[in-house]
Every structure is written in structure tokens, then in C-alpha cells.
Amino acid sequence: MISFPLSIGQLRPWREGDEESLVRHASNRHIWNNVRDFFPYPYTPRDAHSWVRSNKSYQQPNNLAVEINGQAVGNIGFTVKDDIYRYNAEIGYWISEDYWGKGVMTQAVPIMTNYIFQNFQVNRIFACVLEGNIGSMRVLETAGYTHEAIHRKAAVKNNQYLDEHIFAILRAEHRALNPSSSNR
């Protein structure tokens, strides 16, 4: 089973039994304000059951639970795009407000970035960050992502138009930052 150590926990596949802690940590308006609307709020036990069931069976998972003290307190994952964007993957993540500012995602994003480049035929990984989410922007910059663009007032959240900031890293840039990693 795949897992990656963090200084205060690990990244690992989702599994049965994660539902209770997922509901406890994900059902938070402050988290919901920084993610896409398909992320439920309030986050119900039914939502948690559906999420765990849909993510626990992959040989090469594209979503990993952030586990701290035996509890699933966040997620980091990616989606490989299609058509003319088929060599792009979008990375996304969230973590319990209890762990904001503790460096967990600063560790997790480079690990997931390396995992994607090593295991998937992707040339570019990008993230979309809503305006005001300075912490997430810093995480991406620290991981070597470049701030590529601002899509002005492209997103709607809480009935407000928000700028969407695009960050990306190319395989060649990742290789230059991590010469010991053997990404294709």
C-alpha cells in the first residue's frame, strides 16, 4: 500500500473508517470558502461514505488522505485532463483548519507533485486558487510552482465574483529542482 511520511503524519489512501474524522474536519465553512462548490457544505456522513467508497479501490490512487494522529484530516489529489489538455493534471488539496499554518501542505504538495510526475504521463501540473487564499498560494510557490495568470473575476463563491490565480510547474522545471527524482 502506498504511503508517504510527513513530519506529523502521512499521506495514504482513503479507507473505511475515515468517514467520521472526514465529516468532523471537512464540514467547515472556512474550508468550503476556499474550494470549489462540488465540495459539500455541510459535509455529511453520506458525503464522507461516498468519498471514501469512490477512492479506496484504486491501485494508483489520485486522492490521498492526510492522516495526523490516526485521523484523516485532509486530502490532496489530482485529475488528469483530457483532449488537448491530456498532458496536464490539476492538483487540489484541503486540510482541517486545526492544521492551517503548520506546514503540512508545504510538505504534501511536493510529495504529490513528485508522485504525479513519476507515475503519470503528465507534462504540466497546475492549481487554481481563489483570491484571498494567500496560504495556498505560498504553499505552491514554495513547491516550485510559478504564478502564471490571474483569471479576473472568473469564479463565483458566496455570490461574489473572485479572481482565480493559476499556478503551474512543468516536468522540466520539476526535474531541474529535483535532479535526484527519476521522473520521465
Side-chain angles (χ1 to χ4, degrees), residues 102-114:
K102 300 199 183 318
V104 177
M105 283 301 164
T106 300
Q107 292 177 51
V109 168
I111 291 168
M112 181 58 88
T113 300
N114 196 51

Side-chain angles (χ1 to χ4, degrees), residues 3-171:
S3 72
F4 301 99
L6 301 170
S7 63
I8 61 168
Q10 67 173 332
L11 301 179
R12 53 126 174 112
W14 287 92
R15 60 183 180 226
E16 285 184 36
D18 287 335
E19 295 85 356
E20 186 180 323
S21 64
L22 178 55
V23 170
R24 185 168 51 259
H25 293 282
S27 194
N28 179 314
R29 182 83 182 195
H30 295 130
I31 291 170
W32 184 81
N33 284 335
N34 289 306
V35 296
R36 295 201 177 143
D37 285 348
F38 74 77
F39 188 94
Y41 180 80
Y43 208 103
T44 67
R46 182 179 183 158
D47 296 322
H49 179 74
S50 175
W51 176 258
V52 170
R53 187 180 65 236
S54 70
N55 280 286
K56 70 177 187 159
S57 60
Y58 291 105
Q59 284 288 104
Q60 253 182 337
N62 64 333
N63 284 292
L64 295 175
V66 179
E67 179 188 288
I68 298 174
N69 297 325
Q71 292 188 41
V73 299
N75 181 74
I76 186 164
F78 66 96
T79 305
V80 176
K81 299 303 181 178
D82 60 12
D83 199 7
I84 64 171
Y85 303 108
R86 64 189 169 272
Y87 295 106
N88 287 258
E90 182 177 5
I91 192 170
Y93 47 87
W94 67 270
I95 188 144
S96 171
E97 191 173 7
D98 296 345
Y99 297 98
W100 287 5
K102 300 199 183 318
V104 177
M105 283 301 164
T106 300
Q107 292 177 51
V109 168
I111 291 168
M112 181 58 88
T113 300
N114 196 51
Y115 171 76
I116 296 166
F117 280 135
Q118 284 187 348
N119 294 288
F120 298 88
Q121 197 173 358
V122 166
N123 185 56
R124 178 177 174 268
I125 302 171
F126 71 97
C128 304
V129 183
L130 297 178
E131 74 176 74
N133 191 348
I134 304 302
S136 189
M137 293 181 199
R138 284 192 187 126
V139 163
L140 292 162
E141 288 170 341
T142 300
Y145 285 65
T146 299
H147 188 236
E148 286 187 338
I150 299 173
H151 294 167
R152 297 177 309 133
K153 306 303 177 200
V156 176
K157 192 72 180 188
N158 293 315
N159 296 315
Q160 289 187 307
Y161 292 110
L162 299 174
D163 291 346
E164 179 184 52
H165 294 253
I166 308 300
F167 290 80
I169 189 167
L170 302 177
R171 180 180 291 277

